[in-house]
Amino acid sequence: MANIKSQKKRILITKEENAKNTSLRTKCKNAVKKYEAAIAEGNVALAEELLPVTVSTITKAGIYKDNTVSRKVARLSKMLSDLKKA
């Protein structure tokens, strides 16, 4: 444990931020899993409904870098387009 008052405060703030980020990351992963389950079932209508929700969840979380968000969104969109083609 730190002895300096400001460092004690930083430790507490870091724990709070870590808990918040973990929660957001879990929310994003759960949204992706729900979307992938709809894709695996072959349910195009449900997948089309879940895609905007999943994308907005990932985008608004603010825990991923821009390129990572773009990559994730592109992969999710590609899954849907491949399902429509098949």
Side-chain angles (χ1 to χ4, degrees):
M1 187 68 179
N3 292 327
I4 300 170
K5 185 177 181 180
S6 62
Q7 290 307 310
K8 289 179 184 178
K9 184 177 178 183
R10 285 303 313 163
I11 289 171
L12 295 176
I13 291 172
T14 302
K15 285 183 183 179
E16 292 171 5
E17 289 174 351
N18 188 16
K20 179 182 163 194
N21 287 339
T22 303
S23 171
L24 289 172
R25 204 172 300 117
T26 302
K27 189 182 291 186
C28 289
K29 286 181 182 180
N30 287 338
V32 170
K33 285 179 188 177
K34 192 182 292 186
Y35 176 77
E36 288 176 345
I39 293 288
E41 291 175 4
N43 192 343
V44 176
L46 180 61
E48 286 178 340
E49 289 178 22
L50 290 176
L51 182 62
V53 175
T54 305
V55 168
S56 67
T57 302
I58 292 171
T59 306
K60 291 179 182 177
I63 55 172
Y64 298 114
K65 293 186 177 180
D66 291 340
N67 287 345
T68 305
V69 171
S70 296
R71 183 180 69 243
K72 288 180 183 291
V73 169
R75 286 179 180 171
L76 295 174
S77 299
K78 186 174 184 332
M79 284 181 196
L80 183 60
S81 65
D82 289 346
L83 180 64
K84 286 181 179 178
K85 287 178 185 176

